[in-house]
């Protein structure tokens, strides 16, 4: 039963009881009950008037000092705002509460509980798969090409190239490159078609030589003695022998060649014009259609691998996702100085925000209350505290009934 109905019933009960005693035969019990019901009726009516006067005019009559809440609406609102700003939610209490919170630890604990649920991990993996699938690689490609080309143009290629060359030389890659080049050259020289080409080339060049006297006669005799095949074989063997000699670690010419290679590499690295031209060429190539096709293929390949990994982890219930999160959480927890630093930053930011926006609490309360008309405000207050107020009416009627009984009994006491 609602408290409002119970209060009305109590008042009606007192009135009915009082009226009933008026028509009953006079005796001690009737007189006693009449006194109790009469006092209960007076108490119930008085408390009904007092409770009603808080919210509205009783019976709609503009009786002075009634409808107190509406008449003092502004004072009540200001008092409520002042209490919230200065007592309930004052700056000091908010700041002290914020200073006692370990935000990163709290966030980590909440996130751990959240991600420890299998269904949560499955949902995360499903959303990640959807996001990866929906990424428009074709639309992102021009931005990627532009970013890479811009990086190449603005990067300090000289420093980068110097570091790379120094590292390659330190690892002996120059010697490996020389040996690789010599090996490929020997393979090419050993081919029959190369031998024929060398013979033709040597024969044509020897025919162009013009010498006079005894040297000319001797030279012509030599030329007439050898043919293209002999010249090709001779040159082929000489070149192959020279290559084998240079491949020997102790060969003096090998060291000279390696030294020249190193000098040439460092000269190239320190040539600003060539490095700039190289950067421009690389940037132009990155922005070209061929590079775009290559990058797009790589992006699609990466997409496929990521989707495969996500699907594999989904089959295993998201264990990989949880393991990755646990590894990250442990890594962050181990960085105590970093955690403490960020705790202070977060706390300072929130304290500063609370200080700068504390006045908004009162503003928000006032704005919300101002939006309510008188009827809505009264309805809200009655809903919040009306139940207890209606019990005041009930208690008033009951208390009046008891007091009425007591006063009737006192009247019967002979004092003389």
């Amino acid at each position: 039963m609602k408290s409002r109905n119970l209060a009305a019933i109590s008042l009606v009960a007192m009135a009915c009881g009082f009226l009933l005693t008026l028509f009953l035969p006079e005796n001690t019990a009737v007189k006693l009950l009449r006194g109790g019901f009469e006092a209960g009726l007076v108490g119930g009516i008085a408390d009904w008037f007092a409770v009603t006067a808080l919210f509205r005019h009783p019976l709609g009559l503009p009786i002075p000092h009634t409808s107190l809440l509406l008449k003092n609406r502004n004072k009540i609102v200001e008092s409520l705002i002042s209490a919230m700003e200065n007592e309930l939610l004052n700056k000091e209490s908010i700041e002290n509460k914020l200073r006692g919170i370990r935000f990163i630890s709290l966030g980590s604990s909440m996130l751990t509980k959240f991600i420890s649920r299998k269904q949560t991990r499955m949902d995360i993996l499903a959303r990640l798969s959807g996001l990866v699938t929906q990424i428009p690689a074709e639309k992102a490609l021009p931005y990627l090409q532009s970013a890479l080309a811009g990086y190449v143009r603005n990067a300090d290629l000289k420093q980068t190239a110097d570091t790379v060359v120094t590292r390659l030389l330190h690892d002996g890659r120059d010697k490996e490159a020389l040996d690789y080049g010599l090996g490929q050259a020997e393979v090419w020289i050993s081919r029959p078609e190369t031998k024929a080409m060398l013979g033709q080339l040597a024969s044509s060049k020897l025919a162009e030589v013009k010498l006079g006297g005894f040297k000319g006669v001797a030279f012509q005799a030599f030329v007439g003695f050898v043919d293209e095949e002999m010249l090709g074989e001779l040159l082929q063997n000489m070149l192959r022998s020279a290559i084998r000699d240079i491949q020997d670690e102790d060969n003096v010419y090998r060291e000279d060649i390696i030294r020249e290679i190193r000098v040439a590499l460092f000269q190239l690295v320190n040539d600003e014009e060539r490095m700039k031209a190289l950067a421009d060429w690389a940037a132009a190539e990155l922005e070209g259609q061929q590079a775009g096709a290559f990058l797009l293929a790589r992006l699609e390949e990466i997409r496929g691998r990521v989707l495969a990994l996500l699907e594999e982890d989904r089959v295993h219930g998201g264990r990989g996702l949880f393991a990755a999160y646990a590894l990250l959480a442990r890594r962050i927890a181990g960085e105590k100085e970093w955690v403490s630093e960020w705790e202070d930053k977060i706390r300072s930011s929130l304290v500063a925000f609370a200080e700068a926006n504390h006045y908004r609490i009162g503003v928000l309360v006032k704005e919300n209350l101002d939006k309510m008309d008188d009827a809505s405000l009264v309805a809200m207050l009655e809903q919040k505290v009306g139940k207890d107020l209606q019990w005041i009416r009930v208690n008033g009627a009951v208390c009046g009934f008891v007091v009425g009984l007591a006063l009737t009994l006192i009247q019967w006491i002979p004092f003389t």
Side-chain angles (χ1 to χ4, degrees):
M1 182 180 297
K2 294 184 178 180
S3 57
R4 179 185 293 272
N5 296 334
L6 184 61
I9 291 173
S10 66
L11 183 60
V12 171
M14 294 299 162
C16 292
F18 175 72
L19 292 174
L20 182 62
T21 58
L22 294 176
F23 297 97
L24 292 176
E26 291 288 333
N27 57 50
T28 302
V30 171
K31 291 180 180 180
L32 183 62
L33 289 174
R34 182 186 301 150
F37 283 124
E38 181 181 5
L41 179 60
V42 173
I45 293 174
D47 286 338
W48 165 82
F49 184 91
V51 171
T52 304
L54 288 173
F55 301 100
R56 57 182 66 85
H57 296 296
L59 301 177
L61 301 175
I63 303 173
H65 304 293
T66 58
S67 188
L68 298 177
L69 292 177
L70 296 181
K71 287 182 178 179
N72 296 277
R73 174 170 178 160
N74 292 333
K75 292 182 180 180
I76 294 174
V77 170
E78 294 298 330
S79 298
L80 179 61
I81 293 174
S82 177
M84 293 190 67
E85 289 183 342
N86 301 318
E87 297 179 17
L88 301 177
L89 293 174
N90 57 65
K91 291 183 181 180
E92 291 73 16
S93 64
I94 295 175
E95 292 174 5
N96 291 335
K97 187 65 176 178
L98 290 175
R99 289 190 174 93
I101 299 176
R102 298 174 61 188
F103 294 97
I104 294 181
S105 299
L106 179 61
S108 176
S109 177
M110 295 174 60
L111 187 57
T112 300
K113 292 180 180 179
F114 176 74
I115 205 171
S116 62
R117 297 194 291 267
K118 180 179 179 180
Q119 186 59 44
T120 300
R121 298 196 300 272
M122 300 296 283
D123 292 341
I124 293 175
L125 291 172
R127 291 185 177 275
L128 287 175
S129 298
L131 290 174
V132 173
T133 303
Q134 295 174 4
I135 293 176
E138 297 82 0
K139 294 182 179 179
L141 180 61
Y143 299 100
L144 177 60
Q145 288 183 274
S146 178
L148 291 174
Y151 174 80
V152 171
R153 288 192 182 97
N154 298 324
D156 186 4
L157 291 184
K158 178 180 177 182
Q159 180 66 29
T160 304
D162 185 81
T163 302
V164 172
V165 169
T166 301
R167 181 66 180 178
L168 291 175
L169 297 182
H170 181 268
D171 294 341
R173 302 302 181 184
D174 54 339
K175 297 179 180 180
E176 293 180 4
L178 176 61
D179 290 335
Y180 177 79
L182 292 173
Q184 293 300 311
E186 184 176 8
V187 171
W188 179 77
I189 291 171
S190 300
R191 294 175 180 173
E193 57 269 24
T194 304
K195 174 182 174 181
M197 182 194 70
L198 291 173
Q200 294 175 1
L201 181 61
S203 178
S204 62
K205 293 302 177 182
L206 290 175
E208 295 176 1
V209 177
K210 303 296 182 182
L211 294 175
F214 181 74
K215 291 182 180 180
V217 175
F219 181 77
Q220 291 298 325
F222 172 75
V223 172
F225 177 74
V226 295
D227 55 12
E228 292 182 0
E229 183 179 358
M230 295 176 61
L231 289 172
E233 184 177 0
L234 177 64
L235 291 174
Q236 187 181 54
N237 292 333
M238 292 174 59
L239 291 173
R240 291 171 62 183
S241 176
I243 288 174
R244 294 191 187 97
D245 290 342
I246 296 174
Q247 289 176 331
D248 186 1
E249 293 287 342
D250 298 328
N251 189 274
V252 293
Y253 299 109
R254 176 184 176 87
E255 294 298 326
D256 293 339
I257 294 174
I258 292 175
R259 188 183 305 110
E260 291 297 325
I261 291 175
R262 293 176 177 176
V263 171
L265 286 174
F266 281 110
Q267 286 179 344
L268 176 62
V269 169
N270 291 285
D271 192 332
E272 295 183 0
E273 293 185 1
R274 290 187 178 181
M275 294 304 298
K276 185 178 183 307
L278 179 61
D280 293 338
W281 171 82
E285 287 295 320
L286 285 172
E287 293 177 330
Q289 184 176 359
Q290 186 174 0
F294 175 81
L295 291 174
L296 182 59
R298 300 291 76 75
L299 289 176
E300 293 297 340
E301 181 180 345
I302 293 173
R303 188 208 302 271
R305 292 182 178 179
V306 172
L307 290 175
L309 289 174
L310 292 175
E311 178 62 22
E312 181 180 357
D313 195 36
R314 190 188 67 80
V315 172
H316 292 88
R319 296 177 182 176
L321 178 63
F322 187 81
Y325 165 76
L327 178 62
L328 179 62
R330 286 194 296 268
R331 181 67 179 273
I332 292 177
E335 300 290 339
K336 295 183 178 181
E337 294 183 1
W338 182 87
V339 171
S340 177
E341 179 183 352
W342 275 98
E343 288 276 8
D344 293 339
K345 288 182 178 180
I346 295 173
R347 189 177 297 108
S348 299
S349 298
L350 292 177
V351 168
F353 179 82
E355 291 179 350
N357 296 276
H358 183 262
Y359 73 95
R360 296 184 185 275
I361 297 176
V363 173
L364 180 61
V365 173
K366 182 171 176 53
E367 287 179 352
N368 290 332
L369 291 176
D370 289 343
K371 291 178 182 178
M372 303 176 68
D373 55 18
D374 290 345
S376 300
L377 180 60
V378 169
M380 182 192 72
L381 292 175
E382 284 187 320
Q383 182 182 4
K384 299 300 181 183
V385 299
K387 182 178 181 179
D388 293 330
L389 293 177
Q390 296 303 323
W391 275 106
I392 292 177
R393 294 174 55 189
V394 175
N395 293 334
V398 174
C399 183
F401 178 80
V402 174
V403 171
L405 293 176
L407 291 177
T408 301
L409 291 174
I410 291 173
Q411 291 178 3
W412 290 348
I413 298 174
F415 292 100
T416 58

